Amino acid sequence: MNEIKLTDSEKTLMEILWEKDKAFMKEILEAYAAPKPASTTIATLLKRMQNKDLVGFKLYGNSREYFPKVAKSDYFKDEMTTMIDRFFNSSVTQFASFFTSNSKLTQKDLKELRDIIDQQIK
């Protein structure tokens, strides 16, 4: 999969589409918090995201129902990989060490993490 790059504005729009699964322009605009962007701004973002193959649409007469073409889990996985590559020299071990020593994890949290790792090892 190609690296998924989203601007902050595109990420906000994708969050709406991921939550709704599919939506018409009116529904997308309604999902924004105030102050809402102009519909032309949203249309421009949608067009740009279609060009990146992140968003698709189904035509109903003159109306378009938009949907995400990238799963949120794929985007999150790509973001995490990029962060680990950038800040931890591609070392998941360095990331895990940093995360566990700099987070306010409880003993319960740490045990749950260990259980997840143990399940992956088996």
Side-chain angles (χ1 to χ4, degrees), residues 17-34:
L17 290 175
W18 284 323
E19 183 179 317
K20 294 188 169 295
D21 193 41
K22 56 188 175 184
F24 291 97
M25 176 68 79
K26 181 181 182 212
E27 297 168 315
I28 293 170
L29 280 168
E30 288 172 354
Y32 273 87

Side-chain angles (χ1 to χ4, degrees), residues 28-104:
I28 293 170
L29 280 168
E30 288 172 354
Y32 273 87
K36 297 182 184 294
S39 60
T40 54
T41 301
I42 300 303
T44 300
L45 282 173
L46 286 165
K47 180 65 176 160
R48 189 166 67 198
M49 293 165 72
Q50 288 169 51
N51 292 339
K52 291 181 177 183
D53 205 30
L54 300 172
V55 172
F57 67 88
K58 188 171 180 184
L59 205 52
Y60 293 94
N62 291 333
S63 297
R64 292 179 179 194
E65 184 179 47
Y66 296 95
F67 58 89
K69 292 178 78 175
V70 174
K72 187 174 185 176
S73 59
D74 290 338
Y75 172 72
F76 182 74
K77 183 171 95 175
D78 192 66
E79 283 287 295
M80 288 301 297
T81 300
T82 300
M83 182 194 70
I84 291 168
D85 289 348
R86 185 171 172 201
F87 295 109
F88 301 98
N89 300 317
S90 302
S91 171
V92 175
T93 306
Q94 285 181 18
F95 166 73
S97 175
F98 175 84
F99 176 73
T100 55
S101 63
N102 290 292
S103 297
K104 293 183 173 144

